[in-house]
């Protein structure tokens, strides 16, 4: 897991008793000596003078600190802390010791907080005892969020094939999103993927095909309705996966948002396999790839991937509200990473339903069939998860975050999509109305665990909105 760097500076006044702040510094040195969540930078001694505080912050920044903590350990003149962070370039935390009154440290931090707020500074204010583990946990989460913000800068999310099927919500105002996230938005044609597929040897593709099939429990070569899976469906998708890897290296791409339909999925355009398995392989390899040229979805996936230290991410559509309870079913046409599956329920490979081939086609080209494949699996039930979608532009730019617990999805026996595609059910703690009212599109990204606090800190650091449901 890539670690953020967290700088911690301890401030005190030269003519005040400093036992408490020295003890806190010593405890932190021991506490963070073997820290797995972050590399922690602590100066050799307490900081007593304004010039030294300014220098200490600059040194921390020069050493690559993603976030800095200023601990107010005694009464200090406001300028010691304020000058230190006035020209800071990284997010920071102001921490006031609050359990002893002899030095006035708590009051000093409170009045410094007020001044910094009036100055328009963005920061997190904490107070507590010297060994407050909740505050230490908060510092580490905040540092993680600050690291993600830096990691996003100048990364490239590449749209393959342009805008998808009049889905307005899949595109962004690139001026706004570049200013906030620092991302770049290159665009390439599907033809370039097909061209790179020609460079892939059969030997390479067969190797990937074999490795992929080893992860699948069952292949349904022919469905009950007569739809068949072509014998070369996995092989050609392995070539496409390797072609995407070539594109990634050729153009230094970090995230993909692939249009797919109709150029890759429809037989009238010459290919007809869709990109589902190739996308599954990419996401399994940790290369975040969203469907339907959905740029906000790709960014949401990448944020979750970074924040969680490289977890796999499930891209899914909102499918239906459950008839009873606070549940909803999500699904996707086969691009989710297999390692997220509940293998006790099996992982299956199915022919993609034929009507998918006609999406985005004019009537005269409708053919009702295709040659592609999709994966079917479910998530383990009873797992705490976080889902995210970033949406909006300008003043409305925001993260919509929700926590939920995985449950069985609500699928009827005769629903082709439900029987052939990967998906999951989510149970929300409260009524689903709040979640549906806050949605910013129909594609959401899921990771295991509760990452809502880190995402909240990231939204605050970026200066965008944060909407939370559970």
């Amino acid at each position: 897991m890539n670690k953020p760097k967290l700088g911690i500076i301890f401030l005190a006044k030269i003519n005040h008793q400093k036992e408490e702040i020295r003890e806190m510094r010593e405890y932190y040195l021991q506490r963070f000596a073997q820290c797995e969540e972050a590399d922690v930078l602590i100066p050799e001694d307490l900081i007593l003078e304004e010039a030294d505080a300014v220098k200490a912050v600059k040194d921390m920044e020069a050493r690559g600190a993603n976030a800095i903590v200023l601990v107010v350990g005694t009464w200090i003149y406001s300028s010691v802390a304020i000058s230190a962070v006035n020209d800071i370039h990284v997010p920071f935390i102001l921490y006031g010791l609050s359990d002893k009154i002899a030095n006035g440290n708590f009051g000093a931090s409170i009045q410094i907080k007020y001044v910094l707020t009036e100055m328009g500074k963005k920061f997190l204010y904490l107070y507590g005892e010297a060994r407050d583990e909740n505050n230490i946990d908060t510092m580490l989460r905040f540092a993680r969020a600050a690291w993600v913000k830096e990691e996003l800068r100048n990364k490239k999310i590449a749209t393959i094939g342009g805008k998808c099927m009049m889905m307005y919500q899949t595109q962004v105002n690139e001026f706004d999103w570049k200013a906030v996230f620092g991302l770049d938005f290159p665009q390439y044609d599907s033809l370039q993927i097909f061209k790179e597929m020609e460079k892939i040897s059969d030997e390479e593709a067969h190797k990937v095909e074999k490795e992929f099939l080893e992860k699948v429990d069952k292949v349904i070569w022919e469905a009950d309705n007569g739809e068949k899976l072509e014998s070369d469906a996995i092989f050609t998708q392995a070539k496409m996966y390797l072609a995407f890897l070539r594109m990634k290296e050729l153009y230094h791409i970090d995230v993909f948002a692939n249009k797919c339909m109709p150029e890759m999925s429809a037989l009238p355009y010459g290919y007809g396999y869709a990109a589902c398995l190739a996308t599954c392989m990419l996401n399994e390899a940790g290369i975040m790839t969203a469907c339907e040229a959905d740029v906000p979805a790709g960014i949401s996936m990448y944020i979750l991937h970074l924040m969680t230290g490289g977890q796999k991410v499930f891209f899914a559509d909102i499918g239906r509200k459950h008839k009873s309870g606070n549940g909803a079913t999500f699904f996707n046409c086969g691009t989710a990473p297999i390692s997220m599956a509940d293998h006790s329920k099996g992982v299956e490979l199915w022919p993609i339903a034929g009507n998918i081939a006609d999406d985005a086609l004019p009537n005269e080209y409708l053919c009702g069939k295709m040659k592609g494949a999709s994966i079917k699996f479910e998530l383990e039930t009873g797992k705490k998860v976080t889902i995210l979608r970033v949406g909006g532009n300008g003043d409305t730019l925001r993260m919509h975050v929700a926590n939920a617990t995985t449950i069985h999805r609500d699928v009827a026996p005769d629903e082709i999509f439900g029987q052939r595609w990967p998906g999951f059910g989510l149970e929300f703690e409260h009524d689903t109305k709040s979640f549906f009212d806050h949605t910013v599109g129909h594609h959401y990204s899921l990771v295991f665990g509760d990452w809502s606090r880190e995402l909240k800190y990231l939204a605050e650091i970026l200066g965008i909105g944060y909407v939370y449901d559970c």
Side-chain angles (χ1 to χ4, degrees):
M1 174 170 145
N2 291 316
K3 291 184 180 181
K5 284 187 177 181
L6 176 64
I8 306 177
I9 296 169
F10 297 89
L11 304 176
K13 197 166 184 289
I14 194 167
N15 61 339
H16 278 234
Q17 61 189 53
K18 294 178 276 293
E19 291 83 358
E20 184 181 10
I21 187 66
R22 289 194 186 280
E23 187 275 336
M24 181 180 183
R25 180 182 170 278
E26 289 300 317
Y27 175 71
Y28 272 39
L29 285 171
Q30 297 175 24
R31 169 68 174 75
F32 290 117
Q34 302 298 324
C35 182
E36 295 182 358
E37 295 90 346
D39 291 327
V40 179
L41 312 173
I42 298 176
E44 294 182 359
D45 204 351
L46 305 181
I47 304 297
L48 307 177
E49 300 290 346
E50 180 178 330
D52 292 334
V54 172
K55 182 178 183 301
V57 167
K58 288 182 178 179
D59 287 346
M60 290 287 185
E61 288 188 310
R63 294 170 66 185
N66 300 110
I68 293 174
V69 182
L70 296 182
V71 182
V72 181
T74 70
W75 176 267
I76 61 172
Y77 294 129
S78 301
S79 59
V80 175
I82 293 166
S83 295
V85 297
N86 195 40
D87 297 318
I88 199 169
H89 298 99
V90 298
F92 69 95
I93 297 172
L94 180 68
Y95 189 124
L97 287 180
S98 64
D99 57 331
K100 293 185 180 181
I101 65 171
N103 286 323
N105 38 25
F106 190 26
S109 71
I110 287 174
Q111 59 100 7
I112 292 168
K113 170 183 71 73
Y114 166 71
V115 175
L116 290 171
T117 302
E118 289 297 304
M119 292 171 63
K121 298 295 183 182
K122 295 177 183 178
F123 64 100
L124 181 64
Y125 176 63
L126 299 177
Y127 59 88
E129 300 178 2
R131 300 193 181 199
D132 190 322
E133 283 295 318
N134 287 330
N135 281 342
I136 290 175
D137 178 66
T138 297
M139 290 178 195
L140 293 171
R141 292 175 188 268
F142 184 85
R144 187 78 194 163
W147 177 83
V148 170
K149 182 251 186 186
E150 260 329 287
E151 283 295 298
L152 290 171
R153 307 304 289 183
N154 302 317
K155 294 299 191 297
K156 292 179 171 58
I157 175 164
T159 302
I160 305 297
K163 193 167 96 172
C164 189
M165 300 184 301
M166 297 302 291
M167 291 186 181
Y168 294 0
Q169 77 278 9
T170 63
Q171 303 302 295
V172 303
N173 182 323
E174 294 180 7
F175 301 109
D176 290 342
W177 288 58
K178 175 64 176 179
V180 172
F181 297 105
L183 294 158
D184 286 322
F185 302 91
Q187 188 271 330
Y188 305 95
D189 293 328
S190 302
L191 178 64
Q192 290 172 264
I193 293 290
F194 297 143
K195 184 65 178 177
E196 294 306 322
M197 288 176 68
E198 297 174 4
K199 305 281 183 67
I200 307 301
S201 71
D202 289 357
E203 183 181 6
E204 287 180 280
H206 280 307
K207 181 175 183 293
V208 171
E209 177 188 25
K210 180 177 181 294
E211 292 171 350
F212 180 81
L213 284 171
E214 287 173 352
K215 301 173 184 176
V216 175
D217 298 304
K218 184 178 181 181
V219 179
I220 311 299
W221 292 104
E222 183 173 357
D224 292 339
N225 65 358
E227 290 179 330
K228 295 181 180 180
L229 183 58
E230 297 290 327
S231 61
D232 64 345
I234 302 96
F235 169 73
T236 188
Q237 285 289 280
K239 280 203 169 187
M240 180 173 279
Y241 161 69
L242 293 167
F244 268 97
L245 293 187
R246 282 184 57 83
M247 289 285 290
K248 178 177 174 15
E249 294 304 314
L250 285 170
Y251 298 104
H252 310 292
I253 297 166
D254 299 287
V255 183
F256 288 102
N258 183 31
K259 182 183 177 188
C260 186
M261 296 186 285
E263 295 94 327
M264 295 178 181
S265 62
L267 285 169
Y269 287 96
Y271 183 61
Y273 292 86
C276 294
L277 299 191
T279 307
C280 164
M281 295 175 193
L282 288 165
N283 285 322
E284 186 65 55
I287 302 165
M288 299 298 101
T289 304
C291 292
E292 296 177 325
D294 193 333
V295 172
I299 294 169
S300 301
M301 294 174 75
Y302 194 52
I303 287 172
L304 290 178
H305 180 68
L306 291 173
M307 191 71 78
T308 59
Q311 268 197 42
K312 304 298 189 294
V313 182
F314 198 132
F315 163 100
D317 299 55
I318 300 172
R320 70 162 48 151
K321 182 185 182 302
H322 290 188
K323 295 177 182 177
S324 61
N326 298 325
T329 286
F330 295 70
F331 65 91
N332 177 258
C333 55
T335 67
I338 293 177
S339 59
M340 296 186 76
D342 181 352
H343 285 273
S344 68
K345 299 175 184 174
V347 176
E348 298 176 353
L349 206 59
W350 284 77
I352 291 184
N355 61 336
I356 297 299
D358 293 333
D359 275 348
L361 288 179
N363 290 343
E364 68 178 270
Y365 292 134
L366 300 184
C367 60
K369 62 181 179 179
M370 64 186 303
K371 300 185 287 187
S374 68
I375 304 158
K376 175 192 174 183
F377 67 79
E378 295 185 38
L379 299 182
E380 181 183 344
T381 59
K383 299 278 284 186
K384 185 81 170 179
V385 299
T386 301
I387 59 174
L388 166 70
R389 183 173 174 88
V390 185
N393 292 285
D395 292 341
T396 70
L397 188 54
R398 62 200 182 275
M399 291 183 184
H400 182 208
V401 177
N403 285 129
T405 303
T406 56
I407 58 174
H408 291 293
R409 54 181 173 174
D410 186 6
V411 177
D414 60 347
E415 286 185 303
I416 290 180
F417 297 159
Q419 301 306 322
R420 299 192 192 181
W421 290 0
F424 52 88
L426 292 183
E427 183 79 20
F428 296 88
E429 183 178 335
H430 303 295
D431 191 277
T432 51
K433 183 179 186 303
S434 177
F435 171 74
F436 292 134
D437 285 348
H438 289 144
T439 51
V440 288
H442 69 300
H443 291 150
Y444 274 72
S445 303
L446 174 147
V447 290
F448 294 125
D450 182 356
W451 299 89
S452 57
R453 285 177 62 192
E454 287 89 341
L455 292 169
K456 182 175 186 294
Y457 295 143
L458 178 58
E460 291 171 350
I461 290 168
L462 292 171
I464 64 175
Y466 179 85
V467 181
Y468 176 70
D469 287 297
C470 65

